[in-house]
């Protein structure tokens, strides 16, 4: 019996065919066969519409990516024009196309100081996978074949290719897949509200985490540790901004041991925190950066690795040993993706998107803070246009619900009913990450709908005896 025959969906409906043929990413396959998909076929501005015509505010910008919202004609036209003129040119063996060249130049012109070259990928995972290859090639070229371990953080999300999911620290992305691979290590995440000890200041907590990293590098042997990777604001692990002084202390440890710093700006890049890059927001000086998502406002897939001149010079010298820089994707620097990315960056500048983010941030953050006194909300956190509320059964003791009770997923489901898309995170966090173009009125709508969902969740936890 085909799965669609077992569902309540009409034969041959889109939902039935989805269940029958489409293996979804990150989906509970059995539940999907029962419940079917949410099919979203159109969007305009910050709104999307499902196949029943129901309207939602995209409070998560898709997967933290649709920065310019939906239906932006200029981006569609940029792709169309480029595809007509030249649909594909490879980047291998000295071939190039002017659109990718323009994009590389533009990216370096807006990147944090010190970034010198861009390597193009199709996604954030590929960018982080490439980071691993760069770091290993770099140390092989320098004659340090032992210096290969890479340290990430528990709860971090860096993607799902084999190497990227080894950098990742959320358990759900690793279970069943035999990752992390060897040579990948993880230190504690940085979440002061949840993990700070009684009487410990935020700065003391940051010192403790820097000491943990220092001790791990010492224990492993600095000659074996190549790099450390972090999202400036932890995304899928909780939408958690860093504690005060955290990155300054971490960067000092990395410098001491000659360990490269990779900043994963896949979520934070291109305005999310109120600066072009979160490296500016938190004064980070990475050796390597990963970007994707808002680079093209998710109109076409594209990502990239940016690197300092010091890294580039070693890759260049690697050619003397290995023949050439032998890695790349068929679609690295794809002209259509590059054209859309270039147009996205042009729109950010012309419309002063970062100025807009700064202007509406107080409304957005105040909207989140309006939930802070609710008895179900343990913590409210955020920066720029990203943030989260964390639900907890007793805020005094910062307790946590049994994950099986699915409290945050309940809130997210209720929010859905009220017409706002939010996302449940580990430890019953609920993330908010709207398109960067969101207006003050639309922020008000997000918060109002989320507030109703919070009230429903409060009733639910009582009904279930969870508080
Ligand atoms: C910080 C971060 N890095 C990397 C990735 C992986 O990007 P992709 O899904 O495009 O492979 C993600 C995806 O959400 C992310 O949030």
């Amino acid at each position: 019996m085909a799965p669609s025959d077992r569902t309540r969906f009409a034969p041959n409906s889109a939902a039935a065919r989805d269940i029958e043929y489409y293996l979804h990413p990150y989906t509970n396959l059995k539940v999907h066969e029962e419940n079917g998909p949410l099919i979203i076929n159109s969007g305009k501005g910050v709104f999307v519409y499902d196949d029943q015509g129901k309207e939602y505010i995209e409070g998560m910008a898709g997967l933290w990516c649709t920065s310019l919202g939906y239906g932006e004609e200029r981006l569609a036209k940029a792709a169309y024009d480029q595809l007509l003129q030249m649909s594909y040119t490879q980047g291998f063996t000295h071939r190039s196309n002017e659109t990718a060249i323009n994009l590389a130049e533009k990216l370096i012109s807006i990147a944090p100081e010190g970034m010198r070259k861009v390597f193009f990928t199709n996604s954030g995972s590929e960018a982080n996978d490439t980071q691993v290859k760069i770091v290993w090639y770099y140390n092989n070229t320098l004659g340090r074949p032992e210096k290969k371990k890479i340290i990430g953080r528990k709860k971090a999300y860096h993607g799902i290719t084999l190497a990227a999911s080894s950098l990742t620290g959320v358990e759900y992305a690793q279970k069943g897949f035999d990752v992390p691979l060897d040579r990948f290590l993880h230190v504690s995440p940085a979440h002061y509200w949840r993990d700070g000890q009684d009487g410990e200041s935020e700065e003391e907590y940051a010192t403790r985490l820097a000491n943990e990293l220092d001790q791990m590098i010492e224990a492993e042997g600095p000659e074996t540790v190549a790099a450390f990777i972090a999202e400036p604001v932890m995304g899928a692990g909780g939408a958690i901004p860093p504690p005060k002084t955290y990155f300054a202390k971490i960067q000092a440890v990395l410098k001491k041991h000659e360990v490269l710093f990779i900043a994963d700006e896949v979520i934070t890049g291109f305005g999310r925190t109120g600066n072009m890059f979160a490296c500016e927001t938190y004064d980070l000086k990475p050796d390597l950066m990963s970007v994707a998502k808002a680079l093209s406002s998710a109109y076409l897939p594209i990502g990239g690795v940016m690197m300092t001149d010091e890294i580039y010079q070693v890759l260049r010298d690697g050619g003397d040993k290995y023949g050439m820089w032998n890695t790349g994707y068929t679609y690295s620097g794809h002209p259509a993706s590059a054209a859309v990315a270039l147009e996205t960056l042009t729109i950010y500048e012309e419309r002063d998107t970062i100025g807009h983010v700064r202007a509406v941030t107080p409304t957005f953050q105040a909207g989140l803070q309006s939930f802070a006194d609710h008895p179900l909300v343990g913590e409210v956190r955020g920066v720029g246009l990203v943030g989260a509320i964390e639900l907890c059964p007793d805020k005094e003791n910062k307790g946590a619900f049994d994950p099986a009770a699915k409290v945050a997923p309940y809130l997210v489901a209720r929010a859905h009913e009220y017409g706002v898309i939010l996302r449940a995170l580990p430890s019953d966090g609920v993330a908010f990450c709207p398109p960067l173009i969101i207006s003050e009125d639309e922020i008000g709508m997000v918060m109002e709908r989320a507030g109703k969902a919070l009230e429903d969740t409060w009733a639910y936890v009582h009904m279930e005896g969870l508080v």
Side-chain angles (χ1 to χ4, degrees), residues 144-158:
R144 308 192 295 203
E146 296 305 313
K147 200 165 171 74
K148 293 290 169 53
K149 292 174 192 162
I150 306 187
I151 302 177
R153 302 184 299 171
K154 291 170 198 148
K155 288 195 179 177
Y157 191 85
H158 299 296

Side-chain angles (χ1 to χ4, degrees), residues 63-64 122-126 128 157-160 231 233 235-236 264-267 292-293 423:
L63 283 170
W64 329 75
N122 305 292
S123 67
S125 296
E126 285 181 6
N128 286 330
Y157 191 85
H158 299 296
I160 53 87
E231 304 149 272
V233 177
D264 181 345
E265 290 246 23
V266 167
I267 287 180
K293 297 195 190 271
R423 172 162 165 176

Side-chain angles (χ1 to χ4, degrees), residues 47-119:
F47 296 96
V48 295
Y49 302 89
D50 71 18
D51 60 349
Q52 308 303 306
K54 183 174 162 67
E55 180 182 276
Y56 306 82
I57 299 185
E58 230 316 350
M60 278 303 296
L63 283 170
W64 329 75
C65 53
T66 57
S67 47
L68 292 175
Y70 302 85
E72 176 53 65
E73 280 189 29
R74 282 178 58 177
L75 297 183
K77 187 158 183 314
Y80 178 84
D81 290 348
Q82 179 65 54
L83 287 168
L84 264 189
Q85 188 195 317
M86 170 45 82
S87 54
Y88 176 73
T89 322
Q90 60 161 302
F92 290 20
T93 54
H94 316 283
R95 317 287 173 84
S96 199
N97 73 79
E98 207 159 328
T99 313
I101 297 167
N102 292 342
L103 178 61
E105 181 183 29
K106 183 74 201 163
L107 271 171
I108 292 304
S109 78
I110 62 172
E113 206 190 320
M115 291 296 137
R116 161 80 198 280
K117 287 246 181 204
V118 189
F119 178 87

